[in-house]
Structure formats: structure tokens, C-alpha cells
């Protein structure tokens, strides 16, 4: 425990804070369609999702190893750089949550780390070949694969049940959605909780508490799982509204198809160590399910804003992480205090702004618009 300095402890707490924001930011991935179709009550949905995120965190550590020893050179990374990267990721998560924008928490984390390490250690500190292989290529391929799979599944779901009673079909697929949404939550814990495990492990390696290429200790796995589970339970209602109502008018067969396709892609990628964005995968699945039903309305304007946010997330978080790393590198402990206070002030402002037009369990299905001000509504949608 001699290696656990005050700075390392601060970084670990900040990493768990990011994990918490990841949880409520990404609750929509698993439960938005089930809430929108009425398969699950909102509070029940987030409780199930939170518990299964914790369980999923214990199923694999391949993605954690990708973070701790894949995209950056752990021999050049310092705890201060990791802290700066986490600040960039947390602020981006909070800003997009305020707008109801389901951007990628994963890419926010990757961007923050890449920007901070690039500024703090130079370009040699970032393994750009691994970034392309493990992050960028899955970011392009995974939503397309999930979308095509959901489109095909939706088409056949409606063809097979065409002569059945509508009430029976709806009831059956709603029951199926309980299972499929639960599997998405399990898969989310398997993929996203590991990213925080990887960050904490990287911090411990950089501080000399663990050897190079070490995997996450049990206490790291447990704390990361609990943090993301708690965040999930609180429910990212603003983003749930956007994903459940903003992309397409979802019906229970479509919801089941989207969730089943997303689960398959996420679990396969977690097994292979690809640190993909579960938000992008689930959004691709929802769009595919919308295209798979005849006469279904797909809101392409919202989808377009979603894609723009996907493109902006990584560089935006990298910019904030890089600026934070510059202050931390030149200011030492004083720089860390300055960045921490600035980040806290910005986070507080965002939370206060969200109170002006709250979205909660009782009104999450009312509209697909998310307002930031009382006089203007912002319609935004993306994935994570």
C-alpha cells in the first residue's frame, strides 16, 4: 500500500466518478426501448440494469487490459496524466447528458486519455496503431453490424407474426424484451465497467503498485462494478427519452430485435478485447429496427446529429484532457487542485442547468425532445 499516494487515491476516486457518470449516461443503451414500449416500468428497468451491470463487471477483464496496456504506453504515463484525461471524459459526459445526447462515454474516456498522454508524454506515449485497431475500427463497424442484424431480425419478426393477434404479439415480445434488455445490461457491465478497471489498473502500474501488463485486482473489479451499477440505477432519464422516443417510434418486436442484436455485438467484442462504444452499438440497433418495420418513422435529423456527436466526442474530450494535462504537468499539485476546482464548478453548473427542465421516471416517455431552457427545446440524439 506504500504506492497508494494521495495523488493516486485522487485519481482512483476520479475514475470511479467517471464510472458513475458512465452508468447514468448509458442506462438508455439497455433500457430505453423497453421503457418506451412499456415492457418495463422505468424504475424497475433501471434497478434491473444496475444489478446486472455489477454482475457483468465480473465476467471478463479483456477490455480492461486493452485500456491499461493497449492504447497508451504504461511506462510513460503518470497518475497526473490519467487524472487530466478523466476530467475531459467526465465533463463531456455531463455536457452531453444535459442535452439528452447519447454520445459515447467510451470514446470520451479514450479521447481524454489520448489527449492527456499526448501532451504529457509526447506522441510516443500513445499507441496509435492500437487506437485504430481496438477503438476506431470497432467504432465504425459495430453500429453497422448491430443495425443490419436488428433490421433483419425485425423484418422476420413481423413476417412470422403477421397472422397472429396484435395483442398476443405485443405481450409476447414485451416479455422477450425483459430478457433481451437484461442481457444488454449484463453486456454493458462486461464492456464498460472494464474501462474504469483499466484506468485504475493503469494508475496502479504507473505508480509502481502493479507490474506491467498486470490485470485488475479483485477490489478494482468490485469497486468499478458497484460505481457503474449505482450510476445506472439513478437513471439517465434525459438520454433514455432521446433513445426511446427520438430515433424512431419503437414497438415491442423492434425493441426485442434491437436489444438482441446489440447484446450479441457487445459480448462478442468484449470477448475479443475490443473497447467499443455500447452507445453506438445500441443506437445502430435501434435505427436498424426502425428500418426493418414497414412505414416506421425514422427521424433522420436526430440520427444525423447523433453521428456528428460520435465524430466530435473523441477529439473534444482529447482537447479538454490535453489542456488539463498541460496545467497539471506545469503546475504540479497546485495544477491538479486548479483543474479539480474548475471541473467541480463546471459540473455543478451543468447539474443546476438540468434542474430547469428536469426529466425523470414519470415523464420520460412524454416526448422525444429534451429542453435545456424553458423557452427552447433541443432535439439531439447520439450513441455511447
Amino acid at each position: 500500500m506504500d504506492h497508494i499516494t494521495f495523488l493516486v487515491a485522487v485519481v482512483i476516486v476520479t475514475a470511479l466518478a467517471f464510472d458513475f457518470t458512465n452508468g447514468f449516461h448509458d442506462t438508455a443503451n439497455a433500457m430505453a426501448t423497453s421503457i418506451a414500449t412499456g415492457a418495463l416500468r422505468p424504475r424497475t428497468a433501471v434497478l434491473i440494469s444496475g444489478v446486472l451491470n455489477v454482475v457483468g463487471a465480473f465476467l471478463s477483464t479483456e477490455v480492461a487490459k486493452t485500456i491499461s496496456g493497449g492504447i497508451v504506453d504504461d511506462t510513460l504515463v503518470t497518475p497526473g496524466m490519467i487524472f487530466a484525461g478523466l476530467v475531459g471524459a467526465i465533463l463531456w459526459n455531463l455536457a452531453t447528458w444535459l442535452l439528452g445526447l447519447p454520445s459515447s462515454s467510451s470514446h470520451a474516456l479514450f479521447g481524454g486519455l489520448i489527449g492527456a498522454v499526448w501532451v504529457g508524454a509526447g506522441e510516443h506515449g500513445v499507441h496509435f496503431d492500437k487506437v485504430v485497431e481496438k477503438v476506431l475500427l470497432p467504432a465504425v463497424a459495430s453500429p453497422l453490424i448491430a443495425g443490419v442484424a436488428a433490421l433483419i431480425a425485425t423484418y422476420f419478426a413481423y413476417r412470422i407474426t403477421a397472422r397472429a393477434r396484435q395483442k398476443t404479439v405485443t405481450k409476447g415480445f414485451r416479455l422477450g424484451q425483459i430478457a433481451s434488455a437484461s442481457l444488454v445490461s449484463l453486456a454493458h457491465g462486461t464492456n464498460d465497467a472494464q474501462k474504469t478497471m483499466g484506468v485504475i489498473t493503469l494508475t496502479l502500474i504507473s505508480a509502481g503498485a502493479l507490474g506491467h501488463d498486470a490485470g485488475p485486482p479483485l477490489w478494482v473489479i468490485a469497486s468499478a462494478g458497484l460505481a457503474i451499477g449505482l450510476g445506472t440505477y439513478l437513471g439517465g432519464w434525459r438520454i433514455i427519452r432521446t433513445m426511446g422516443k427520438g430515433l424512431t417510434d419503437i414497438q415491442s418486436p423492434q425493441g426485442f430485435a434491437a436489444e438482441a442484436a446489440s447484446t450479441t455485438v457487445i459480448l462478442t467484442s468484449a470477448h475479443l478485447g475490443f473497447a467499443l462504444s455500447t452507445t453506438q452499438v445500441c443506437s445502430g440497433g435501434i435505427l436498424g429496427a426502425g428500418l426493418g418495420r414497414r412505414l416506421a418513422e425514422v427521424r433522420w435529423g436526430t440520427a444525423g446529429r447523433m453521428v456528428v456527436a460520435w465524430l466530435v466526442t473523441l477529439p473534444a474530450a482529447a482537447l479538454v484532457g490535453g489542456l488539463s494535462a498541460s496545467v497539471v504537468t506545469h503546475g504540479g499539485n497546485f495544477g491538479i487542485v486548479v483543474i479539480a476546482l474548475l471541473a467541480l464548478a463546471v459540473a455543478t453548473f451543468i447539474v443546476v442547468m438540468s434542474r430547469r427542465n428536469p426529466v425523470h421516471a414519470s415523464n420520460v416517455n412524454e416526448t422525444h425532445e429534451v429542453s435545456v431552457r424553458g423557452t427552447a427545446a433541443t432535439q439531439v440524439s447520439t450513441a455511447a
Side-chain angles (χ1 to χ4, degrees):
M1 297 298 289
D2 293 339
H3 297 283
I4 308 298
T5 63
F6 175 75
L7 175 57
V8 171
V10 168
V11 175
I12 291 173
V13 171
T14 307
L16 293 175
F18 164 79
D19 206 24
F20 178 82
T21 67
N22 190 353
F24 73 71
H25 197 281
D26 288 5
T27 308
N29 296 346
M31 293 299 174
T33 54
S34 293
I35 292 172
T37 62
L40 286 168
R41 294 181 181 274
R43 287 294 182 188
T44 303
V46 296
L47 176 60
I48 292 172
S49 186
V51 171
L52 289 175
N53 265 276
V54 176
V55 174
F58 288 87
L59 297 184
S60 172
T61 58
E62 292 303 316
V63 173
K65 293 176 183 176
T66 296
I67 304 298
S68 62
I71 64 175
V72 295
D73 188 341
D74 58 22
T75 63
L76 300 177
V77 174
T78 65
M81 296 177 200
I82 299 172
F83 171 76
L86 287 167
V87 168
I90 290 171
L91 292 182
W92 182 258
N93 269 358
L94 290 175
T96 50
W97 164 76
L98 176 66
L99 297 172
L101 182 68
S103 66
S104 172
S105 296
S106 304
H107 287 182
L109 176 60
F110 302 148
L113 284 177
I114 289 169
V117 173
W118 197 346
V119 169
E123 61 180 287
H124 298 297
V126 182
H127 297 152
F128 289 102
D129 56 334
K130 291 293 184 182
V131 172
V132 172
E133 175 190 351
K134 297 288 190 177
V135 177
L136 297 183
L137 289 180
V140 174
S142 58
L144 294 176
I145 294 171
V148 171
L151 187 155
I152 295 171
T154 299
Y155 173 78
F156 280 109
Y158 279 102
R159 285 293 300 271
I160 292 170
T161 60
R163 298 181 182 277
R165 292 177 57 194
Q166 183 63 39
K167 185 176 181 180
T168 303
V169 171
T170 299
K171 182 179 179 180
F173 276 108
R174 281 182 177 177
L175 290 173
Q177 273 194 276
I178 296 174
S180 60
S182 297
L183 285 174
V184 175
S185 296
L186 190 69
H188 184 265
T190 303
N191 197 281
D192 278 44
Q194 288 190 56
K195 291 159 190 170
T196 298
M197 295 178 208
V199 169
I200 296 175
T201 302
L202 179 61
T203 303
L204 295 174
I205 291 173
S206 69
L210 292 176
H212 296 298
D213 299 323
L218 180 61
W219 70 267
V220 172
I221 297 173
S223 59
L226 289 172
I228 200 169
L230 181 59
T232 301
Y233 173 69
L234 289 182
W237 304 111
R238 304 175 80 85
I239 300 176
I240 289 173
R241 174 183 286 183
T242 301
M243 286 189 73
K245 295 293 185 179
L247 286 174
T248 185
D249 293 317
I250 206 85
Q251 295 182 354
S252 53
Q254 294 168 283
F256 177 78
E259 291 159 0
S262 299
T263 300
T264 303
V265 173
I266 294 168
L267 288 177
T268 301
S269 297
H271 177 71
L272 296 174
F274 292 134
L276 51 72
S277 164
T278 54
T279 307
Q280 291 181 357
V281 172
C282 293
S283 296
I286 292 172
L287 282 173
L291 293 172
R293 177 168 70 91
R294 290 183 59 191
L295 304 179
E297 177 189 1
V298 176
R299 300 182 180 94
W300 292 110
T302 302
R305 287 186 288 273
M306 176 182 72
V307 173
V308 170
W310 289 356
L311 297 174
V312 170
T313 293
L314 197 148
L319 178 62
V320 178
L323 291 173
S324 300
S326 180
V327 175
V328 169
T329 300
H330 294 95
N333 289 336
F334 177 75
I336 291 173
V337 172
V338 169
I339 291 299
L341 291 176
L342 285 174
L344 183 60
V346 173
T348 301
F349 172 77
I350 291 173
V351 172
V352 170
M353 287 292 293
S354 72
R355 298 293 178 88
R356 299 179 66 174
N357 296 95
V359 181
H360 41 74
S362 61
N363 69 359
V364 68
N365 278 335
E366 288 182 2
T367 175
H368 63 271
E369 295 182 336
V370 174
S371 289
V372 177
R373 297 179 181 275
T375 57
T378 304
Q379 229 183 332
V380 273
S381 192
T382 312

